[in-house]
Amino acid sequence: MKVELLRANIGDAKELHAMQVKAFKELLEKYQDFNTSPANENVEKVEARLKQDFTFYYFICIGQQKVGAIRIVDKKETAKNKRISPIFILPEFQGKGAAQKAIRLCEEVHGSENWELSTILQESKNCHLYEKMGYRQTGKTEVINERLTLVFYEKREEDRI
């Protein structure tokens, strides 16, 4: 399966938002994290991010099909981490390796060292994906509610696989 990235722009905000809501809807229902879930964000928040000069949104594509998206925060500062926030794959395309390939492509574009992200501690498949990709838990967590805890990851140059 060939995965490609397609750079999104401000004109793609509504499409990105609709995909994000669809991709995170099940997690929102499961964890009830109304203040932090990407499924509960409005389109204006996506538009605001797209306007940031340090934000890079990419559609994740299999062939001509947009199956998800990834946002990279890259301020292009030496020794500063780049951040993945968020990455999502539409439910019908999950579990096929698209997220892993998209992360690798982003690392090729933005550099393979100094990355960070956070994910839901209770979602073991997400944690496994990032750990398989060379990310290591930082030890920092943030309790969002009684159901959900965020866990923070980092990938340094020495963690490359």
Side-chain angles (χ1 to χ4, degrees):
M1 169 183 65
K2 183 168 174 59
V3 172
E4 295 180 306
L5 299 178
L6 174 64
R7 179 83 187 265
N9 61 49
I10 193 69
D12 298 313
K14 285 183 176 60
E15 183 179 11
L16 276 170
H17 178 258
M19 291 174 71
Q20 177 176 294
V21 168
K22 182 177 180 182
F24 284 100
K25 183 178 187 283
E26 186 178 312
L27 292 174
L28 175 62
E29 291 169 357
K30 181 176 181 180
Y31 294 109
Q32 305 287 300
D33 57 323
F34 299 107
N35 293 327
T36 59
S37 174
N40 216 32
E41 291 179 354
N42 59 34
V43 70
E44 289 80 15
K45 188 156 187 175
V46 174
E47 288 172 347
R49 287 185 186 134
L50 280 161
K51 291 177 182 175
Q52 295 170 330
D53 60 359
F54 52 83
T55 283
F56 301 83
Y57 261 109
Y58 301 96
F59 287 107
I60 301 167
C61 303
I62 299 173
Q64 299 301 309
Q65 178 79 43
K66 293 174 183 169
V67 302
I70 185 169
R71 174 180 172 239
I72 305 300
V73 177
D74 184 358
K75 296 188 177 178
K76 309 241 184 252
E77 296 172 340
T78 305
K80 294 282 187 174
N81 284 352
K82 296 167 282 280
R83 181 165 179 75
I84 298 172
S85 177
I87 180 172
F88 55 88
I89 304 294
L90 294 172
E92 61 268 32
F93 297 101
Q94 291 176 4
K96 300 180 192 295
Q100 186 174 334
K101 289 180 180 177
I103 291 169
R104 289 201 197 289
L105 289 169
C106 285
E107 289 175 351
E108 288 175 18
V109 171
H110 293 275
S112 59
E113 70 287 332
N114 300 336
W115 286 89
E116 63 183 47
L117 57 84
S118 59
T119 194
I120 300 170
L121 178 63
Q122 291 82 357
E123 291 296 311
S124 58
K125 287 181 183 177
N126 291 359
C127 295
H128 177 74
L129 164 68
Y130 299 128
E131 290 167 11
K132 183 170 67 173
M133 304 276 313
Y135 287 79
R136 303 287 171 250
Q137 290 189 21
T138 64
K140 179 183 172 192
T141 59
E142 181 181 341
V143 176
I144 302 300
N145 61 35
E146 65 281 353
R147 296 180 181 108
L148 186 152
T149 300
L150 289 178
V151 61
F152 293 81
Y153 282 87
E154 194 170 54
K155 185 175 184 181
R156 313 298 291 162
E157 180 63 25
E158 60 271 15
D159 296 326
R160 288 182 58 201
I161 52 174

